[in-house]
Amino acid sequence: MDIQEFFEQSAGKWFSHRTSHHLAFKQSESGKSDITIETLPKDHPEVIKLCEQYEIDPTQASCGARVSWNGTMEWDEEKHVGSTVLVSVPDPENPQEGKLLREIGYAEKVPVAGRYIMGSDGALTLITEYETMSSEERLWFASPNLRMRVSVLKRFGGFSMASFTSEIRMGVAKPASQETETSSAST
């Protein structure tokens, strides 16, 4: 699997349940979100705009995605709502690795470019360095409609938070080719 196939397999609406362990405080909290992931072709205006923002030739991008979320965390009353655009820019010498451009980062809400690595096992690892912290996140599919994610945030030279997230696809529909085959067989 390459990054474009990973984005395509991720497209859809997901229910996400996350447990975060705040290591410094020796406490954990849970959160729930609805997430929508939409793939964007590499010539989409938002993909081109993000590439230009990072001074990268848009023709080097392989694909993009728009991710929207709406969720809550146990410790606060605030709703967490937002969206971001992601763009993958493969390394020409090793297309299983490259840059991942983000309109808004995961750990800090600022534009950030990180690295991605597609493993031979189909897992996607994202490594991002922010001004005051770094994050490493690994995502994989346990099945087509169940995605898992683990992440570690490091702040000031030490681990500060570890999270485990399970995401279940909502409202699964048959691919168009299966619907055509089914309706042909029943007539």
Side-chain angles (χ1 to χ4, degrees):
M1 176 180 306
D2 64 19
I3 186 117
Q4 186 169 351
E5 291 166 328
F6 193 91
F7 278 17
E8 289 168 358
Q9 190 170 345
S10 297
K13 293 183 179 184
W14 298 84
F15 170 74
S16 174
H17 185 265
R18 176 174 50 188
T19 302
S20 297
H21 302 278
H22 300 274
L23 304 174
F25 304 113
K26 298 181 183 173
Q27 294 183 329
S28 64
E29 72 173 324
S30 63
K32 298 176 181 177
S33 300
D34 291 328
I35 298 172
T36 303
I37 301 171
E38 174 189 357
T39 58
L40 302 174
K42 64 183 186 176
D43 60 352
H44 190 279
E46 288 179 282
V47 171
I48 293 169
K49 179 182 173 188
L50 194 56
C51 287
E52 289 172 347
Q53 179 180 335
Y54 286 96
E55 298 179 358
I56 292 175
D57 180 356
T59 62
Q60 293 180 4
S62 64
C63 60
R66 182 182 302 110
V67 181
S68 304
W69 59 89
N70 181 353
T72 57
M73 290 301 289
E74 185 177 29
W75 287 359
D76 60 31
E77 304 284 323
E78 183 182 326
K79 283 284 229 180
H80 297 269
V81 178
S83 69
T84 189
V85 173
L86 309 173
V87 174
S88 64
V89 182
D91 179 330
E93 295 180 23
N94 183 1
Q96 292 301 92
E97 298 183 16
K99 291 181 184 175
L100 185 71
L101 312 180
R102 297 182 194 207
E103 187 179 42
I104 296 175
Y106 166 72
E108 293 181 6
K109 304 302 178 204
V110 295
V112 66
R115 294 184 316 121
Y116 75 84
I117 302 166
M118 280 301 311
S120 59
D121 59 354
L124 173 63
T125 301
L126 306 174
I127 301 162
T128 310
E129 300 288 332
Y130 297 92
E131 192 170 309
T132 62
M133 67 182 80
S134 65
S135 73
E136 186 168 331
E137 189 172 22
R138 182 172 166 85
L139 302 94
W140 72 96
F141 288 91
S143 71
N145 298 314
L146 176 61
R147 195 169 84 158
M148 310 296 234
R149 182 177 0 167
V150 292
S151 62
V152 175
L153 283 175
K154 297 177 189 177
R155 185 187 303 265
F156 307 119
F159 293 102
S160 64
M161 187 172 78
S163 297
F164 172 78
T165 306
S166 60
E167 299 170 334
I168 300 167
R169 191 185 309 269
M170 302 184 317
V172 179
K174 291 181 186 177
S177 61
Q178 287 182 357
E179 288 176 5
T180 305
E181 292 169 13
T182 305
S183 59
S184 309
S186 62
T187 53

